Amino acid sequence: KKSGSPIEEPKEEDKTIEFFRHLTKTKAYPAGLKGANKDVHPAVQVLGLQMSNYMICGSSARLVATLQAFKKVIQSYTTPPGNTLTRHFTSHVLSPQIEFLASCRPLSISMGNAIRWLKLEISKVDIDVPDNEAKEGLCSAIDSFIQERVTLASQVIASSAAEKIRDGDVILTYAKSSVVERALVQAFEAGKKFSVIVIDSRPLYEGKHMAAALANLGMEVRYALISGLSHSIRRATKVFLGAHAMMSNGRLFSRVGTALVGMEANSYDKPVLVLCETIKFTEKVALDSILHNEIAPADELVIPDGPLENWRDVKGLQLCNLMYDVTPAEFLQMIISESGNVPPTSVPVLHRLGNESQA
Amino acid sequence: MPSLSTGYAPNLGVFLKSLKSQQLEASIENLISLLKRRQIKNSRPCAIATAHLLLRVVARFKWTDVGKLLERIQEVGQRLIQAQPREMVVGNIVRRVLGMIRDEAKEDRNEDASDSASNSQLSSPKRQSSDLGHLRNAGGPPTAFSPLRFDSKDVVQAMDSNSDDSFGSKSSANHRPPLITSHTSYAVTNNVPVQHSMFNLLSAMPSPLATPPGVSSPQGRSSVNMSSVAHRAAASSNDLKAEVISGIEEIIDELDQVDEQIASYAQEHIHSNETILTHSSSRSVQKFLLKAAEKRKFTVIVAESYPNDHEATHAAVAGKSKSSLDDSDDMDSDTFLKPLPKAGITVIQVTDAAIFAVMSRVNKVVLATHAVIANGGLIAAAGARGIAKAASFHKTPVIVVSGVYKLSPEYPFEFESLIEYGDPGSIISYHDGPLVDSVEVDNPVYDYVPPHLVDLYITNLGAHAPSYLYRIVEDHYKAEDTNFHNPEFQY
């Protein structure tokens, strides 16, 4: 159809979207595996693969899995003679792991926060402490970090959010958030009579798992895609959103499509509650969804046997598989965190308090 | 081209071919079932099919009088609308045809009436209206359709309703109580005077030369007309029929050219290096953008409108029709438009969820429509409301591209009634076994976009503010036809 010879040429065409050029492209996972440094621990390699094909997905899940993998790295580590754990481990052992994970999928904000904490912990290890003891100390610190910042935090948030649910409520939620799911389950088990609308989007269909999990418990669940949002939102009485991160300017950084949900909820005057652990708070700010974001491989958008199959051959056609978007603070009514329920404007305050206590 | 002999996967092309060979009643039934089964769907194919069918109805109609013809068309129209009430264009086309028949009939009658009026030198009010009649006739032969057709129709319409009172129209008097007649004419005279007097000023200028001598010397004209009256009585039915048929052909031509006409405005609205967001697949929008691309380079972001229209959208973007083997859902060969990337446009395909994220980079939103309502709101593929809302949040202008034929005089107060729900199987397939049983799935096909989210309409008549659409509705449809399909709601 096209002239025969330049078939090669369009394949080399740059498919980068101009205004996302600054976002480093995620390498597809085989490249990640091949490029893996021999220093990368097997547990981290597995984790990297699982993250890149979304088997482990979601900010909290990735955070926990990363820390668990790092625990294994620590356990299998022995300080080489003539070195100390404090000086050697972070730069020579931990960094390649982190690099590898980041090459599989950009690190989440929560992972970044946790890694920063872990490095701090490592730097605090006394040089005189024997290897074994130091390693044990780090592992138990990781355990208690997970326990405190993720497990307990999500419990507190879930029960706090469950309290907000009243009989007759229709809770609308978007995609999948572990803590939203937990809150809904908790309210359901407390005998509250409400129904749930799960809005979902291509290509991840995370909401489908959420809908299935809730329906299995016997909850009344409706499921719709984001294009049908403006119809579903009218039925809803409250909107629960999960978060990837809360920005310091009160904006919510979450799965792409969340901003639309927030906008429609706002235009129909439905309260929007964000369920977010403080580990996901960041000092970064965002004004739009362009500057900070993640571009997933475009081929994930291609439907098998669909007309897009050979999209790379079509000159001038680009596919954009965006992962996140930024929801303006004015769409959000309340942030439910383990340190209390606050308006979005108080995010930087909570973040500071959290960090000060940690430091 | 699919052969017409096989009934396999019938579509618009097959239907149009079958019209010639089939009995009329069979054709009507055929279209009804095609509409019901959605083998003809979307505005344009529905409009074309309806117009062609009505053409047959008129052609086959055994002439008695105009009232009977109107009744016949109303009856066919009612059946078509019942078959697929949410394809609002079907009703629109029927109303256009009804309105046109009324016009032609009144013109006929007015000619007779004005002749007799000028002949017998009647009292001043009647005299006045007959003058109006002359003026109108001077505006050009009613069957010659110029680009001004709609304007002149407007005038005709306004004046006809004036003359209704003095001359009384047989057909419409049958349908309406007298009180309402006076009411409508009151409303129309109230709305229109400025415009029609302006038009008269302009159109009447060259008329003294063009009009028959009757105007200046009633005597002479009357003699001519007296002799022709008897003739006309016999011939009028045939003339009228021919006029109605050519009127319907006119509508069909309009349907054919509407996208080109809209596209001709494209370069006025798109500047170079712009980023435009559009959604779903639409011939009108595609032609619009292609036309603009002849002169400008720009980027188009396309939201895919999953799950009801994504395949067509992807195909339009990638320029492949292989997935849609039955490529004549639209009119056969011209379905295959040049894909946007081929025209030098950079096309970015995004998911529906990413609309808000990319909106901050968008200069203009161009929406396609399914139907447009008189209040300036529109029905479009699901997700359109979110797009329009996100655009208004970002203060990005929203342009709606639509042919006038999609503009409906119906004004439903419950907009949900316009929304069609599609197959939930396209959202959750039966692979997800247990989920199918336990979860309720919503798949709305359309969204209602309220007028305050729209900045501009571009139709084949030009660009209008949403608040102006009601005027175009009045130009194209007659008030008495608005609710012809459910008479209990008439006024």
Side-chain angles (χ1 to χ4, degrees):
Chain A
K1 296 169 187 176
K2 263 171 269 143
S3 48
S5 56
I7 276 180
E8 228 60 46
E9 196 224 314
K11 284 210 167 159
E12 283 157 28
E13 188 201 347
D14 188 6
K15 292 289 186 184
T16 318
I17 294 147
E18 206 45 57
F19 52 87
F20 285 123
R21 192 172 288 283
H22 61 284
L23 295 172
T24 48
K25 235 180 173 176
T26 320
K27 284 175 214 146
Y29 70 89
L33 193 59
K34 258 181 248 160
N37 195 308
K38 60 180 181 345
D39 299 338
V40 176
H41 193 278
V44 178
Q45 285 192 5
V46 171
L47 177 63
L49 284 181
Q50 285 172 327
M51 286 207 284
S52 71
N53 59 23
Y54 308 109
M55 279 170 68
I56 294 181
C57 194
S59 186
S60 307
R62 284 168 71 195
L63 165 69
V64 172
T66 308
L67 287 177
Q68 301 286 14
F70 285 173
K71 232 170 78 181
K72 288 195 184 122
V73 176
I74 292 171
Q75 276 159 357
S76 58
Y77 171 82
T78 37
T79 315
N83 252 324
T84 61
L85 184 141
T86 322
R87 295 226 180 107
H88 182 259
F89 182 73
T90 307
S91 54
H92 290 87
V93 180
L94 196 55
S95 293
Q97 320 291 332
I98 296 168
E99 242 166 64
F100 173 76
L101 284 183
S103 79
C104 291
R105 226 193 119 178
L107 303 180
S108 72
I109 300 268
S110 56
M111 281 161 72
N113 282 344
I115 288 168
R116 209 168 312 130
W117 164 84
L118 183 61
K119 284 181 176 170
L120 191 72
E121 282 300 301
I122 294 169
S123 73
K124 284 196 286 195
V125 172
D126 201 329
I127 298 175
D128 302 328
V129 176
D131 233 21
N132 264 351
E133 217 170 286
K135 277 159 55 184
E136 234 160 67
L138 282 177
C139 287
S140 71
I142 289 177
D143 280 338
S144 64
F145 183 87
I146 294 174
Q147 182 75 9
E148 202 178 296
R149 301 297 299 269
V150 184
T151 318
L152 285 176
S154 71
Q155 257 168 36
V156 173
I157 294 169
S159 50
S160 170
E163 271 171 34
K164 305 278 182 293
I165 299 177
R166 291 197 217 136
D167 283 351
D169 263 348
V170 181
I171 309 294
L172 184 136
T173 179
Y174 180 66
K176 182 193 159 93
S177 153
S178 54
V179 60
V180 169
E181 187 180 330
R182 204 161 173 171
L184 296 174
V185 170
Q186 206 161 320
F188 182 71
E189 280 167 356
K192 296 198 175 167
K193 288 177 182 57
F194 64 99
S195 66
V196 180
I197 303 174
V198 179
I199 304 290
D200 206 359
S201 69
R202 227 163 68 82
L204 288 179
Y205 297 113
E206 294 163 289
K208 214 182 252 183
H209 305 295
M210 171 104 140
L214 297 178
N216 278 344
L217 290 174
M219 260 186 249
E220 198 182 310
V221 181
R222 293 186 92 93
Y223 179 83
L225 293 180
I226 190 121
S227 55
L229 172 65
S230 62
H231 301 270
S232 307
I233 196 83
R234 270 173 259 188
R235 287 209 180 92
T237 56
K238 288 188 181 84
V239 177
F240 280 15
L241 294 178
H244 176 87
M246 279 303 305
M247 300 304 202
S248 257
N249 54 349
R251 298 198 174 201
L252 167 66
F253 191 75
S254 193
R255 178 69 68 238
V256 65
T258 308
L260 277 175
V261 176
M263 178 189 74
E264 287 290 26
N266 195 53
S267 76
Y268 286 99
D269 289 329
K270 315 285 181 186
V272 179
L273 290 77
V274 179
L275 281 61
C276 179
E277 298 91 338
T278 52
I279 186 67
K280 297 176 179 173
F281 286 25
T282 169
E283 76 288 345
K284 283 185 190 157
V285 292
L287 291 173
D288 59 21
S289 316
I290 314 276
L291 196 64
H292 302 288
N293 215 321
E294 181 183 334
I295 302 282
D299 289 307
E300 288 168 11
L301 290 185
V302 177
I303 299 165
D305 294 326
L308 280 185
E309 263 203 326
N310 299 316
W311 69 277
R312 280 182 193 279
D313 299 341
V314 182
K315 194 164 170 292
L317 177 62
Q318 302 168 347
L319 258 61
C320 174
N321 188 8
L322 213 54
M323 286 302 277
Y324 300 105
D325 64 12
V326 172
T327 309
E330 65 232 65
F331 296 159
L332 314 173
Q333 269 68 46
M334 187 191 272
I335 316 295
I336 302 182
S337 77
E338 75 270 23
S339 320
N341 305 339
V342 295
T345 43
S346 301
V347 169
V349 181
L350 272 192
H351 179 62
R352 235 179 79 174
L353 285 177
N355 276 3
E356 273 167 10
S357 65
Q358 197 185 90
Chain B
M1 287 238 189
S3 63
L4 71 139
S5 53
T6 57
Y8 182 69
N11 52 30
L12 181 62
V14 175
F15 171 72
L16 292 183
K17 269 176 225 142
S18 77
L19 267 179
K20 289 185 193 93
S21 52
Q22 255 175 346
Q23 290 286 313
L24 178 59
E25 199 49 39
S27 293
I28 297 174
E29 283 304 325
N30 190 9
L31 180 56
I32 287 174
S33 60
L34 284 172
L35 286 171
K36 278 186 176 164
R37 288 191 229 120
R38 267 159 234 288
Q39 281 158 331
I40 293 182
K41 59 174 189 204
N42 295 339
S43 298
R44 217 177 82 94
C46 284
I48 292 173
T50 310
H52 278 278
L53 182 70
L54 290 181
L55 190 67
R56 301 290 295 174
V57 171
V58 174
R60 290 285 174 84
F61 183 68
K62 295 280 183 312
W63 198 272
T64 47
D65 71 291
V66 182
K68 285 269 160 35
L69 177 62
L70 288 171
E71 272 170 31
R72 171 70 171 149
I73 301 232
Q74 281 175 339
E75 178 248 332
V76 174
Q78 267 165 14
R79 285 163 65 192
L80 293 181
I81 289 174
Q82 263 167 20
Q84 196 47 268
R86 289 191 182 101
E87 293 286 5
M88 293 168 84
V89 282
V90 174
N92 295 350
I93 295 297
V94 176
R95 285 186 198 99
R96 285 276 287 271
V97 171
L98 286 173
M100 186 198 48
I101 295 173
R102 284 182 209 278
D103 277 344
E104 301 291 358
K106 273 167 202 163
E107 250 156 46
D108 249 31
R109 221 170 293 121
N110 285 352
E111 259 163 44
D112 296 346
S114 61
D115 291 341
S116 58
S118 55
N119 199 17
S120 53
Q121 303 283 350
L122 283 168
S123 56
S124 59
K126 265 202 171 175
R127 178 83 214 139
Q128 208 179 3
S129 36
S130 73
D131 278 346
L132 285 173
H134 280 305
L135 280 175
R136 173 180 43 71
N137 288 340
T143 41
F145 295 102
S146 61
L148 274 173
R149 174 184 155 80
F150 300 117
D151 299 351
S152 66
K153 243 181 113 180
D154 173 26
V155 176
V156 169
Q157 186 182 339
M159 288 205 273
D160 285 342
S161 350
N162 277 345
S163 46
D164 259 6
D165 291 337
S166 28
F167 304 120
S169 87
K170 247 185 273 169
S171 63
S172 53
N174 286 343
H175 293 293
R176 309 183 287 177
L179 182 91
I180 283 164
T181 310
S182 69
H183 175 75
T184 25
S185 66
Y186 172 75
V188 174
T189 36
N190 238 13
N191 280 337
V192 181
V194 177
Q195 201 180 343
H196 79 66
S197 61
M198 282 287 282
F199 186 80
N200 282 347
L201 277 176
L202 295 172
S203 63
M205 274 312 168
S207 68
L209 297 169
T211 32
V215 176
S216 43
S217 63
Q219 208 82 44
R221 191 180 183 193
S222 70
S223 62
V224 173
N225 285 330
M226 283 305 275
S227 62
S228 69
V229 161
H231 240 283
R232 184 177 290 140
S236 78
S237 66
N238 273 334
D239 285 352
L240 194 58
K241 192 166 171 173
E243 276 164 17
V244 168
I245 285 177
S246 79
I248 297 179
E249 276 164 356
E250 201 62 39
I251 293 177
I252 293 172
D253 283 352
E254 184 196 322
L255 292 174
D256 233 22
Q257 294 156 8
V258 66
D259 288 336
E260 279 79 10
Q261 284 172 345
I262 296 172
S264 65
Y265 301 104
Q267 282 159 11
E268 292 172 30
H269 298 282
I270 294 174
H271 62 70
S272 52
N273 204 17
E274 222 171 357
T275 305
I276 289 170
L277 187 137
T278 181
H279 77 136
S280 77
S281 66
S282 152
R283 267 175 62 92
S284 306
V285 171
Q286 199 169 347
K287 283 205 170 166
F288 186 79
L289 295 174
L290 285 174
K291 188 77 183 171
E294 286 174 9
K295 293 255 176 74
R296 320 255 147 92
K297 278 198 91 69
F298 52 93
T299 305
V300 175
I301 302 178
V302 183
E304 60 192 358
S305 171
Y306 191 83
N308 296 311
D309 201 27
H310 64 282
E311 280 197 7
T313 311
H314 290 169
V317 156
K320 263 167 243 161
S321 53
K322 68 161 188 181
S323 70
S324 51
L325 288 165
D326 50 324
D327 63 322
S328 38
D329 209 33
D330 236 299
M331 280 293 268
D332 309 308
S333 57
D334 62 356
T335 343
F336 194 74
L337 287 174
K338 194 154 115 183
L340 295 179
K342 282 251 170 71
I345 302 171
T346 307
V347 177
I348 306 174
Q349 173 82 59
V350 299
T351 57
D352 300 310
I355 287 161
F356 195 94
V358 297
M359 191 59 84
S360 58
R361 292 291 311 210
V362 173
N363 296 108
K364 279 187 188 102
V365 173
V366 177
L367 290 183
T369 60
H370 178 71
V372 182
I373 305 171
N375 70 343
L378 65 128
I379 308 292
R385 202 202 116 89
I387 296 175
K389 184 83 194 160
S392 88
F393 179 80
H394 287 90
K395 303 279 188 287
T396 307
V398 176
I399 296 175
V400 175
V401 166
S402 165
V404 160
Y405 71 95
K406 290 183 185 173
L407 180 56
S408 171
E410 280 182 80
Y411 185 88
F413 289 95
E414 180 50 67
F415 295 112
E416 274 295 303
S417 67
L418 300 174
I419 305 303
E420 184 177 329
Y421 280 77
D423 173 21
S426 55
I427 291 185
I428 290 198
S429 67
Y430 283 90
H431 299 298
D432 296 300
L435 204 54
V436 176
D437 294 331
S438 53
V439 168
E440 240 177 280
V441 178
D442 286 334
N443 180 13
V445 180
Y446 301 121
D447 257 358
Y448 167 69
V449 183
H452 68 264
L453 297 179
V454 180
D455 293 275
L456 198 66
Y457 275 92
I458 299 178
T459 69
N460 38 329
L461 302 183
H464 326 281
S467 52
Y468 181 73
L469 288 186
Y470 83 101
R471 274 300 319 161
I472 300 179
V473 167
E474 269 181 53
D475 292 351
H476 282 77
Y477 307 103
K478 298 229 178 297
E480 57 261 47
D481 295 327
T482 302
N483 273 317
F484 78 90
H485 58 293
N486 40 2
E488 68 273 21
F489 291 142
Q490 187 99 16
Y491 304 110

